[in-house]
């Protein structure tokens, strides 16, 4: 009962922030700069949105199955984040404020003639919807994996309850409610990551001989403890560079993240969020991968490693601590799915105003509900890995949108036609890269972004 009580309290606080966000939202329009976010709201809400259910499921599972090798992924991401924050968030904020942008599509079509403006807005919105629906489905699947085991219910019941709760507070809070809720949930995530790493290390140290023996079993990857895994030095370099490109593309090509930068008080305040964001992402991602590695030596027979986080705490820490961890897991998944639903709703409203105007003041609530239910149904029908679906959705959208955003941010020469071809080229090359199988070595975001820039 204590576990459930902690979870319910967390939900009530989340809904409270959603209501507060609705109260503090601008009443007359959807212009993002009118939300005036400070550096803490920008950094923590963007970090919580970026974190996603992948961190408490996929990152844990990769560490559990393959060991040290998958610490190269957050390393590559860190390098990409450094490059991204050096040049882009403040520029995006400045552009967004000058044109009073309501979405990233407004930035892309700024300065174009009406013919190409309408086409590019439509194409970019459809691309956003396709990829973000896939990414939202990832969050529901992650919730299904974790909450079913935590509360001893069926997977379908778990994912349905989780999705309905997120859809409800997303509909209530809108964009500002999403920012407030994400910031609150980011604090829970930091507590959960620290708690996880400390406790699993404690159990690993209780019987070092058994821990070591568990890592020497035949079913453990022979390269588990190798810093590069099964990669050569050259392959590891390519792997890190590929995910550095994916990170850069993620920052530029994920509208649920860029909306936070567009909503900053000023370019200077937005730039000041750099280490808040990077620190948060690394301090939650790296510990989860290490947690998975240590968990392999503590509990070597977990059937689905992506459920390992919840299983560990349910096994060893019933009650208050388990409640905190379940609240942490919910926060990690809900913060991203909430932002995704709000962003997709904003994109539809901005690109198809005549189709949504008849909904009046309820349009964001209706659209968020429809999008949430649609992606929930998809999650009930598919059987996919959280890792594969998350990385593919992120990389494809990065390949399609990031080159165009780079061109607009640096004000490089372009035309409506060249930007249209840039978007198509980046997306198409990324898809082709996946089908060749080369994405196993280098993320498809890298060739997609490069080809888009070269085409322009």
């Amino acid at each position: 009962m204590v576990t459930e009580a902690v979870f319910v309290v967390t939900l009530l606080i989340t809904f409270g922030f959603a209501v507060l966000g609705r109260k503090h939202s601008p009443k007359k329009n959807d212009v993002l700069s009118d939300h005036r976010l400070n550096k803490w709201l920008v950094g923590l809400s963007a970090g919580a949105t970026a974190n996603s259910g992948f961190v408490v499921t996929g990152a844990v599972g990769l560490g559990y199955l393959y060991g040290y090798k998958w610490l190269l992924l957050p390393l590559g991401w860190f390098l990409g984040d450094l490059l991204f924050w050096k040049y882009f968030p403040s520029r995006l904020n400045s552009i967004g404020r000058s044109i009073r942008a309501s979405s990233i599509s407004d930035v892309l079509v700024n300065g174009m003639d009406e013919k190409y403006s309408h086409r590019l807005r439509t194409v970019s919105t459809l691309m956003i919807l396709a990829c973000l629906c896939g990414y939202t489905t990832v969050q529901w699947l992650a919730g299904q994996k974790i909450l079913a085991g935590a509360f001893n219910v069926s997977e379908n019941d778990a994912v349905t309850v989780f999705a309905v709760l997120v859809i409800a507070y997303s509909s209530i809070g809108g964009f500002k409610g999403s920012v407030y809720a994400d910031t609150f949930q980011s604090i829970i995530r930091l507590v959960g990551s620290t708690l996880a790493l400390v406790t699993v290390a404690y159990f690993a140290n209780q019987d070092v001989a058994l821990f070591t023996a568990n890592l020497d079993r035949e079913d453990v990857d022979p390269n588990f403890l190798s810093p590069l895994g099964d990669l050569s030095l050259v392959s590891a370099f390519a792997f890190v560079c590929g995910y550095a490109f994916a990170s850069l593309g993620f920052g530029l090509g994920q509208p649920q993240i860029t909306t936070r930068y567009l909503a900053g008080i000023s370019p200077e305040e937005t730039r000041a969020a750099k280490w808040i964001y990077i620190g948060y992402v690394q301090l939650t991602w790296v510990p989860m991968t290490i947690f998975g590695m240590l968990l392999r030596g503590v509990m070597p027979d977990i059937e689905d490693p992506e459920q390992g986080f919840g299983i560990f705490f349910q096994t060893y820490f019933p009650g208050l601590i388990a409640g905190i961890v379940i609240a942490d897991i919910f926060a990690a998944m809900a913060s991203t799915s909430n932002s995704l639903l709000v962003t997709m709703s904003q994109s539809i409203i901005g690109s198809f105003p005549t189709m949504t105007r008849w909904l009046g003041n309820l349009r964001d609530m209706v659209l968020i509900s429809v999008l949430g239910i649609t992606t929930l149904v998809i999650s009930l029908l598919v059987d996919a890995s959280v890792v594969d679906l998350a990385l593919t959705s992120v990389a494809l959208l990065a390949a399609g949108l990031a080159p165009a955003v780079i061109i607009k941010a640096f004000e490089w020469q372009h035309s409506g036609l060249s930007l249209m071809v840039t978007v198509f080229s980046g997306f198409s090359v990324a898809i082709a890269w996946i089908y060749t199988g080369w994405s196993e070595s280098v993320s498809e975001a890298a060739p997609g972004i490069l080809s888009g820039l070269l085409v322009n």
Side-chain angles (χ1 to χ4, degrees):
M1 289 299 293
V2 175
T3 301
E4 288 81 357
V6 173
F7 184 65
V8 169
V9 169
T10 304
L11 279 178
L12 291 175
I13 296 173
T14 301
F15 272 85
F17 277 113
V19 172
L20 185 64
R22 176 66 69 174
K23 183 179 178 181
H24 288 177
S25 296
K27 304 299 181 186
K28 295 182 180 180
N29 56 55
D30 297 314
V31 175
L32 288 167
S33 58
D34 288 347
H35 289 277
R36 300 181 60 78
L37 306 184
N38 63 34
K39 63 183 180 181
W40 290 99
L41 290 174
V42 170
L44 289 177
S45 68
T49 300
N51 225 316
S52 87
F54 168 81
V55 173
V56 291
T57 54
V60 172
L62 290 170
Y64 189 95
L65 290 173
Y66 306 111
Y68 272 116
K69 170 185 174 180
W70 283 96
L71 287 173
L72 296 175
L73 177 49
L75 171 61
W77 213 264
F78 173 74
L79 297 175
D81 277 343
L82 286 180
L83 183 62
F84 170 74
W85 277 91
K86 181 176 177 61
Y87 294 108
F88 295 106
S90 59
R91 289 174 185 264
L92 290 173
N93 180 266
S94 180
I95 294 170
R97 295 182 69 80
S98 67
I99 66 174
R100 294 185 60 75
S102 297
S103 67
I104 194 64
S105 295
D106 289 341
V107 174
L108 293 181
V109 304
N110 180 45
M112 286 187 184
D113 60 65
E114 187 175 347
K115 173 184 175 183
Y116 284 111
S117 171
H118 176 70
R119 290 178 180 177
L120 182 57
R121 185 184 292 275
T122 301
V123 167
S124 63
T125 299
L126 293 176
M127 191 178 294
I128 287 169
L129 289 176
C131 292
L132 293 194
C133 276
Y135 200 32
T136 306
T137 300
V138 170
Q139 310 313 312
W140 302 150
L141 289 172
Q144 183 183 55
K145 285 177 177 290
I146 296 295
L147 298 179
F151 293 113
N152 265 339
V153 296
S154 72
E155 289 190 343
N156 286 353
D157 288 345
V159 71
T160 301
V161 171
F162 170 60
V164 168
L165 289 170
V166 175
I167 293 167
Y169 87 78
S170 301
S171 301
I172 293 169
F175 177 76
K176 199 63 170 282
S178 172
V179 170
Y180 285 176
D182 286 353
T183 303
F184 164 66
Q185 289 164 338
S186 69
I187 296 170
I188 299 176
R189 185 80 273 275
L190 287 168
V191 172
S193 295
T194 304
L195 185 64
L197 196 55
V198 170
T199 52
V200 77
Y202 170 80
F203 277 92
N205 194 53
Q206 288 296 99
D207 191 337
V208 176
L210 178 61
F211 177 82
T212 304
N214 286 337
L215 293 184
D216 285 336
R217 288 171 28 156
E218 290 185 0
D219 58 346
V220 175
D221 189 321
N223 297 300
F224 190 88
L225 295 177
S226 170
L228 303 183
D230 57 352
L231 300 175
S232 66
L233 190 60
V234 173
S235 298
F237 179 77
F239 183 89
V240 170
C241 288
Y243 278 108
F245 265 98
S247 172
L248 177 63
F250 183 82
L252 291 165
Q254 297 294 307
Q256 74 275 16
I257 308 289
T258 53
T259 51
R260 271 62 181 166
Y261 310 136
L262 294 173
I265 291 174
S266 66
E268 295 73 25
E269 188 75 4
T270 304
R271 186 185 298 113
K274 172 182 177 179
W275 288 111
I276 298 171
Y277 172 89
I278 293 177
Y280 173 81
V281 169
Q282 292 295 318
L283 288 173
T284 50
W285 190 343
V286 172
M288 287 294 94
T289 305
I290 296 174
F291 171 87
M293 294 168 59
L294 295 176
L295 185 64
R296 187 62 181 263
V298 174
M299 302 179 71
D301 296 311
I302 295 176
E303 186 175 343
D304 183 354
E306 291 188 343
Q307 295 187 29
F309 191 44
I311 290 173
F312 172 74
F313 281 96
Q314 285 292 103
T315 301
Y316 290 109
F317 297 98
L320 177 62
I321 293 179
I324 293 172
V325 171
I326 298 303
D328 167 36
I329 293 169
F330 176 84
M333 297 178 293
S335 57
T336 301
S337 47
N338 156 244
S339 301
L340 291 168
L341 292 174
V342 171
T343 299
M344 287 190 287
S345 170
Q346 288 176 318
S347 298
I348 294 173
I349 290 170
S351 297
F352 307 109
T354 55
M355 294 173 57
T356 58
R357 191 174 295 124
W358 62 277
L359 294 171
N361 293 331
L362 296 177
R363 58 185 181 174
D364 60 336
M365 292 186 178
V366 172
L367 288 172
I368 287 170
S369 299
V370 171
L371 290 164
I373 292 170
T374 300
T375 52
L376 170 60
V377 171
I378 294 172
S379 74
L380 293 172
L381 297 176
V382 302
D383 182 19
S385 161
V386 170
V387 173
D388 293 341
L389 194 52
L391 293 179
T392 301
S393 299
V394 166
L396 286 178
L397 193 54
L401 292 188
V405 176
I406 292 172
I407 291 164
K408 299 296 288 192
F410 283 119
E411 299 181 349
W412 289 342
Q413 185 175 346
H414 63 278
S415 66
L417 177 60
S418 75
L419 215 60
M420 282 281 293
V421 178
T422 290
V423 171
F424 275 115
S425 173
F427 195 74
S428 301
V429 167
I431 291 175
W433 195 264
I434 292 172
Y435 276 101
T436 62
W438 294 338
S439 59
E440 294 181 9
S441 300
V442 177
S443 169
E444 57 271 21
I449 292 172
L450 288 174
S451 68
L453 293 173
L454 287 171
V455 163
N456 180 70

